[in-house]
Amino acid sequence: MRRTIIAANWKMNNLTGEVKNFFAEFGDTAVNSENEVVIAPAYPYIALASALSAGKNVTIAAQDVYPKAEGAFTGMVGGKMLADLGVKAVIIGHSERRRIFGEPNELIREKVKFVQENGLHLIFCVGETLPERENGSMFDVLKEQIYSAFDDNLTLAPEKITVAYEPVWAIGTGVTATPEQAAEMHTFIRRILKERYGYEDSRILYGGSVKPENIQGLMANEDIDGALVGGASLKASSFMKLVNFQAVK
Ligand code: PEP
């Protein structure tokens, strides 16, 4: 049985006061939920979020990592810093990193390796753009993203390898994949994980304009094990609804 993950990606949002308000309101929501709760604040707020969520069943994640322990890498945050801050999971390959910062598959592969070497839970993002969906190449795009990161590069147990399917056209746009579109892609990813890597127990999350109003429909499919949420995770009131949701498969 794969446990549902509800993960928040705050991106470059939520300042000190907002982080404090969030956790004050969020309280014991994760303790009382049957879902696994992950929150990824921006780097400067990780320590605060860790402190405010201590003992509350929240896994604090980083939105990225530079794949070195420490050293002369101006502007970067590496493995030792994440460990020092109590980070237990890292998002890698988010489409904003691929697209805005030009992260190539080779660097993403290195990061995937590094996250595993450091024993952290990997949340690995894949997804096609709108033109790629329209020209029907979305399956090939996903294959390339997954193969280039995972082939001969998976060392952690399946439970610590999570894939987030995030169609780029659905991120932050208010447009959501239909449950059928999401299910088709998740089943495709599930088959790759099982047949190519022998990984049956990895979770596959859907991301792209998930909200309290649409989570139930999206999560109904057997192959959808939770959500990676941007906009609707910023305020505790809406994230709490997502964390409290119970999947009916
Ligand atoms: C994301 O960026 O991971 C995401 C899913 O964002 P949103 O929920 O805002 O579409």
Side-chain angles (χ1 to χ4, degrees):
M1 188 63 189
R2 296 182 300 266
R3 190 169 173 218
T4 299
I5 297 178
I6 304 294
N9 175 13
W10 284 354
K11 311 189 186 187
M12 206 168 73
N13 299 296
N14 280 349
L15 307 180
T16 304
E18 290 156 324
V19 175
K20 286 184 179 167
N21 287 342
F22 180 98
F23 284 105
E25 194 177 341
F26 194 69
D28 282 332
T29 306
V31 177
N32 298 322
S33 168
E34 55 185 46
N35 300 324
E36 195 170 321
V37 177
V38 177
I39 297 181
Y43 287 139
Y45 302 98
I46 286 178
L48 178 61
S50 282
L52 294 175
S53 64
K56 304 245 182 216
N57 267 10
V58 173
T59 298
I60 296 296
Q63 298 172 17
D64 188 29
V65 66
Y66 190 68
K68 298 281 178 212
E70 61 186 334
F73 303 101
T74 301
M76 295 296 160
V77 172
K80 275 197 177 177
M81 290 175 172
L82 295 192
D84 189 39
L85 293 171
V87 165
K88 298 280 186 279
V90 187
I91 299 170
I92 296 294
H94 192 279
S95 65
E96 285 153 16
R97 298 229 42 99
R98 292 179 190 264
R99 198 168 37 88
I100 303 170
F101 303 104
E103 280 197 10
N105 283 335
E106 301 71 51
L107 177 58
I108 291 170
R109 179 181 171 87
E110 250 187 84
K111 292 183 176 184
V112 164
K113 183 166 186 275
F114 184 79
V115 166
Q116 294 179 88
E117 282 168 357
N118 285 269
L120 298 162
H121 184 149
L122 171 72
I123 301 175
F124 174 66
C125 301
V126 296
E128 80 284 359
T129 62
L130 188 57
E132 287 162 348
R133 174 155 283 267
E134 286 173 344
N135 70 23
S137 62
M138 63 268 196
F139 295 107
D140 289 336
V141 168
L142 259 60
K143 268 193 205 166
E144 195 191 338
Q145 291 172 342
I146 296 171
Y147 293 0
S148 64
F150 284 0
D151 279 9
D152 301 317
N153 200 29
L154 284 181
T155 50
L156 277 188
E159 302 78 48
K160 288 188 105 171
I161 304 289
T162 293
V163 176
Y165 168 61
E166 300 207 301
V168 180
W169 46 272
I171 295 181
T173 58
V175 178
T176 319
T178 63
E180 294 72 28
Q181 285 172 322
E184 181 183 38
M185 302 311 277
H186 279 242
T187 303
F188 177 71
I189 296 167
R190 174 85 58 219
R191 206 171 54 235
I192 292 178
L193 291 178
K194 187 171 170 201
E195 290 175 5
R196 197 169 175 96
Y197 307 108
Y199 274 32
E200 298 203 33
D201 296 326
S202 290
R203 267 80 55 94
I204 307 176
L205 313 183
Y206 169 79
S209 298
V210 173
K211 303 184 264 282
E213 303 79 60
N214 61 23
I215 190 164
Q216 192 69 58
L218 285 163
M219 298 299 128
N221 185 273
E222 271 307 314
D223 287 320
I224 303 184
D225 305 314
L228 178 56
V229 188
S233 73
L234 296 178
K235 295 256 182 307
S237 54
S238 113
F239 191 58
M240 284 161 77
K241 288 187 190 145
L242 295 169
V243 168
N244 284 330
F245 127 94
Q246 287 183 328
V248 180
K249 303 277 184 193

